[in-house]
Amino acid sequence: MFRKSLVAVVAATTLALTACGGGSDSGGGSDAGGASDGTITMGFAQVGAESGWRTANTKSVQEAAEAAGVDLKFSDAQQKQENQIKAIRSYIQQQVDVIAFSPVVESGWDTVLKEAKDAEIPVILTDRAVDSADTSLYKTFLGSDFIEEGKKAGDWLVEDSASTEGPVNIVELQGTTGAAPAIDRKEGFETAIAADPDLKIVQSQTGDFTRSGGKQVMEAFLKNTPDIDVVYAHNDDMGLGAIEAIEAAGKVPGKDIKIITVDAVKDGMTALADGKINFIVECNPLLGEQLMDLAAKVVAGEEVPARVVTEETTFTPEQAKEVLASREY
Ligand code: GZL
């Protein structure tokens, strides 16, 4: 709690300095940005509302903007890249002070990011990354290390399967096709399970990070894949959908078929505490305060780190039982 209030104070102080034209004006004569009263206007182009994680992320951004006195213009792209591009163009038209967004997929952003750069509007990537070769198109990327998340999931399975004889058949529920977390969580997991040749991914398909997507794909896997031992779902919501399909097929999730997911949102942690999920890798959605702090610095023309990695951990069922009541999301 202390960290949160400290960050909020820093953000508010920075904003106040910007408002009064204070801070270390290098005398470069360039306006530090912000309205005449110092209020920063941020255009935020959110991916959508596809998962519990996304809902928590949106809440964090909106609450942090309120606390930092940032005028937030917010859009929900319903997981469509063309909608995010339209929103970014509209923020450029409105001449906001800073643009932040979570790119639904990695590719296809250079043109619109060049338009923002030409309009001298700084861009902050939050949550997901872009694959643009030109890193001058954005000021910083604030978000998790998804490869590391996939590795943590795979490392747990290698350890959990150490005493298992014979093949361990894994089915994978991938996130949105082309999204950084889907690409990287797959890579990290495959790298980790290479340590044990008995661990095999026998089916892999996108469930688009949604509960319904996870359920539909898992139903198909159960029909066409005998002997599934493990589900690796790129987020809790698809894992929860898989649980519904597994139970409808008369099997016991967490026992007949082990489940590993990523996020650690409340519903996922509840299933973990109940033993229906076996291991969760946390992906922290509470990026709002760090985003507002970075935005204040960027608008004030201050240097910021090119990459800010969020802190996160992992949970077993026992650990979930201990922390469930105090979870923020
Ligand atoms: C990860 C984020 C992913 C979550 C999903 O940072 O982009 O998108 O893991 C969400 O739950 O839909």
Side-chain angles (χ1 to χ4, degrees), residues 11-22 31-42 65 68-71 97-98 292 295-297 299-300:
T13 308
T14 309
L15 286 177
L17 283 174
T18 308
C20 312
D31 199 355
S36 53
D37 65 354
T39 302
I40 287 177
T41 300
M42 174 187 284
V70 168
D71 175 11
D97 299 304
V98 59
M292 297 310 149
K297 289 187 171 76
V299 169

Side-chain angles (χ1 to χ4, degrees), residues 42 44-47 53-54 57 61 99-103 123-129 140-144 146 285 287-288 291 294:
M42 174 187 284
F44 189 94
Q46 181 59 293
V47 166
W53 190 97
R54 189 64 55 197
N57 178 248
V61 168
I99 290 170
F101 77 116
S102 167
V123 173
I124 295 175
L125 300 182
T126 120
D127 169 29
R128 297 183 185 179
T140 183
F141 166 37
L142 162 64
S144 303
F146 301 127
L287 306 177
L291 173 59
L294 287 164

Side-chain angles (χ1 to χ4, degrees), residues 187-200:
E187 178 187 331
F189 184 76
E190 288 174 345
T191 302
I193 66 169
D196 179 349
D198 280 339
L199 300 179
K200 290 188 181 357

Side-chain angles (χ1 to χ4, degrees), residues 50-51 53-54 127-128 146 181 185 209 234-235 263 283:
E50 74 282 0
S51 62
W53 190 97
R54 189 64 55 197
D127 169 29
R128 297 183 185 179
F146 301 127
R185 284 172 186 167
F209 281 131
H234 289 185
N235 80 330
D263 276 349
C283 177

Side-chain angles (χ1 to χ4, degrees), residues 267-326:
D267 289 350
M269 292 290 274
T270 302
L272 180 64
D274 293 344
K276 294 186 177 183
I277 291 177
N278 300 86
F279 188 68
I280 296 186
V281 176
E282 184 183 39
C283 177
N284 187 349
L286 305 181
L287 306 177
E289 284 175 5
Q290 286 174 288
L291 173 59
M292 297 310 149
D293 179 38
L294 287 164
K297 289 187 171 76
V298 160
V299 169
E302 294 172 24
E303 282 301 306
V304 293
R307 180 76 173 91
V308 180
V309 182
T310 38
E311 291 168 20
E312 48 207 30
T313 182
T314 60
F315 295 98
T316 63
E318 299 67 40
Q319 290 165 335
K321 285 176 191 146
E322 282 164 27
V323 302
L324 193 55
S326 61

